[in-house]
Amino acid sequence: MMKILQLLLFCIVFQSASAQLNKSQFSEIDKIVKKLYSEGKLHGGILIAEGENIIYENAFGMADRNLEIPNSTKTRFIINSMGKMFTAILTLQLVEDDSIKLDDPISKHLPWFKHPKANEITVHQLLSHRSGLKGYFDEQIEGRLPFFISQREVLDKMAQLDLNFEPGKGYDYSNTGYLLLGEIIMKYRNADYYDVQRTRIFEPLGMTNTYNSTSIYGPGAPVYYLSDGNPATPFPHSNYRGDGGSKSTLKDLHKFMLAIGSDKLLKTESWDLMFTEYSFPDEATRPFGAHFFPYGYGCGFFELPYNNEEKAIAIGHAGAGYGSSDLMIKFKDKDRIIILWNNEYLNPMPMELFEELSKL
């Protein structure tokens, strides 16, 4: 009986170990990734790791077509909405400090935000995209809201718009909600959002190549190319606080993904809150990429190919902007981390990548 149990244990351990990628598979992974690049499904950088072990890291395409500068693994790229993971962590740190509670109405913390439903919208609903607040970026794209106005002006305008649904009664991805979280963080830390990010996340984790600038461009950044081939025009959207927009590198984000779930940033109870599914695709009020997957606090839950026919849940976030897209995920209860970015707007979740890696 003992031999049978030992054999079963060995099989489980062997299966788990064999599912992990290793550095000897570099050339096989390289073929997969180069095929994606040749098919126009990747144009930037990619890092694949098993825990601390970086199995594959490479970059493709041009950072600047005119100057013929190639993308590199050290390129600092805009992370777009992946930064919502940072905002969720900083918000939960405030909860741990007893500065705020998740069921607090936002009117308690931001009395200047005069939306008629502000006393019904909670911090929890902002984190999980259940507030019903319209997205400011959607309003800008539709021409109903100017681009070149301050964050407070944006929020004052959004406070005048009807909700998409009653608070807590649906799922609608809202950048507006994360700007409000940014405002709450700045209020209780008595500092600029990006200084809070730096001192409470980047510096503790040694993310020395992550920074913010008031444009999509900055030191070490590539040119971002639109679908017509023209460079994206700089605009101060990334100067807003809370919904994303910092610049980072593959290795810095690898450090961050290694830290999720650890006591370096949050207590276990807080990670449990962040990694709970609160919003679901069948509750979404409109078709949108983020609505295809369940959402927690600042992170999505993606069921992806992992090992042959086996699928596994990956936790993380995607991001997209003018001429850019990116993704960072870590498979739940496993070591695999995948981070990628593009300086063209491409689908940040190329399913062929996960399918082919699962076959190795």
Side-chain angles (χ1 to χ4, degrees):
M1 185 61 160
M2 182 60 68
K3 288 185 177 180
I4 293 174
L5 289 173
Q6 289 174 337
L7 180 62
L8 286 172
L9 179 62
F10 172 79
C11 290
I12 292 169
V13 172
F14 177 77
Q15 184 179 25
S16 176
S18 65
Q20 289 200 338
L21 302 171
N22 59 72
K23 292 182 179 180
S24 69
Q25 296 169 307
F26 182 96
S27 60
E28 294 172 273
I29 298 171
D30 196 46
K31 288 179 183 177
I32 294 169
V33 177
K34 283 180 176 176
K35 185 172 185 288
L36 288 173
Y37 171 63
S38 68
E39 293 174 347
K41 297 173 182 176
L42 176 71
H43 191 281
I46 181 170
L47 180 149
I48 301 169
E50 293 286 355
E52 294 183 356
N53 297 317
I54 296 175
I55 307 300
Y56 182 86
E57 186 181 19
N58 213 339
F60 302 87
M62 303 304 293
D64 190 314
R65 296 172 185 172
N66 289 336
L67 299 179
E68 297 185 347
I69 299 172
N71 285 320
S72 83
T73 56
K74 296 182 179 179
T75 300
R76 296 170 172 177
F77 54 91
I78 188 166
I79 67 171
N80 296 304
S81 284
M82 295 197 302
K84 288 184 174 65
M85 292 189 75
F86 302 152
T87 300
I89 288 167
L90 295 175
T91 303
L92 287 168
Q93 288 177 352
L94 289 175
V95 174
E96 289 183 351
D97 294 345
D98 291 325
S99 297
I100 64 172
K101 292 182 171 57
L102 290 169
D103 58 359
D104 283 346
I106 58 174
S107 57
K108 177 178 179 179
H109 304 294
L110 304 175
W112 52 265
F113 184 67
K114 299 298 186 180
H115 197 285
K117 298 284 187 176
N119 63 333
E120 299 177 33
I121 297 169
T122 66
V123 174
H124 161 76
Q125 290 161 358
L126 296 183
L127 284 164
S128 54
H129 297 300
R130 304 187 65 79
S131 68
L133 288 164
K134 294 185 185 301
Y136 77 86
F137 195 45
D138 304 301
E139 295 296 305
Q140 289 175 329
I141 291 173
E142 295 297 325
R144 296 187 291 266
L145 183 69
F147 278 101
F148 297 95
I149 59 176
S150 70
Q151 176 158 318
R152 281 294 183 95
E153 289 176 299
V154 165
L155 292 173
D156 286 343
K157 296 285 187 184
M158 300 310 295
Q160 299 171 27
L161 302 181
D162 292 337
L163 297 181
N164 289 329
F165 49 82
E166 288 297 303
K169 301 299 183 182
Y171 171 29
D172 192 67
Y173 188 90
S174 173
N175 284 302
T176 305
Y178 272 74
L179 293 191
L180 290 167
L181 291 170
E183 294 285 346
I184 292 172
I185 290 163
M186 289 190 286
K187 175 179 179 177
Y188 287 101
R189 294 303 179 200
N190 194 29
D192 182 80
Y193 174 85
Y194 289 110
D195 289 334
V196 180
Q197 247 188 357
R198 176 175 51 80
T199 58
R200 300 188 73 87
I201 297 178
F202 303 157
E203 288 179 354
L205 298 183
M207 297 170 64
T208 56
N209 288 301
T210 303
Y211 69 97
N212 176 65
S213 61
T214 58
S215 167
I216 57 172
Y217 296 112
V223 177
Y224 299 100
Y225 292 98
L226 304 176
S227 56
D228 61 7
N230 290 317
T233 303
F235 67 100
H237 162 66
S238 61
N239 201 33
Y240 293 166
R241 272 87 167 139
D243 65 336
S246 296
K247 320 300 183 299
S248 193
T249 63
L250 291 170
K251 280 192 170 69
D252 265 15
L253 292 181
H254 178 231
K255 293 176 182 177
F256 172 71
M257 294 305 282
L258 284 172
I260 67 169
S262 78
D263 60 5
K264 292 180 179 180
L265 296 174
L266 290 173
K267 298 175 182 177
T268 300
E269 303 79 34
S270 297
W271 286 119
D272 289 343
L273 289 168
M274 184 164 170
F275 296 155
T276 296
E277 298 178 4
Y278 301 106
S279 300
F280 300 90
D282 61 2
E283 299 178 287
T285 58
R286 60 189 171 100
F288 183 67
H291 294 157
F292 299 153
F293 306 95
Y295 201 89
Y297 288 167
C299 60
F301 302 87
F302 315 102
E303 187 178 36
L304 299 171
Y306 177 74
N307 181 32
N308 294 315
E309 299 300 317
E310 176 194 354
K311 290 190 175 183
I313 299 298
I315 299 173
H317 215 292
Y322 283 123
S324 64
S325 60
D326 24 48
L327 174 74
M328 58 180 178
I329 56 171
K330 182 180 186 300
F331 282 85
K332 187 177 181 181
D333 300 324
K334 303 181 188 299
D335 292 330
R336 187 169 305 168
I337 294 168
I338 299 175
I339 303 162
L340 62 86
W341 62 270
N342 299 292
N343 62 325
E344 296 177 355
Y345 178 74
L346 299 170
N347 179 0
M349 294 193 69
M351 291 305 296
E352 299 96 325
L353 172 66
F354 310 115
E355 290 167 357
E356 294 302 316
L357 289 177
S358 74
K359 298 174 185 177
L360 297 181

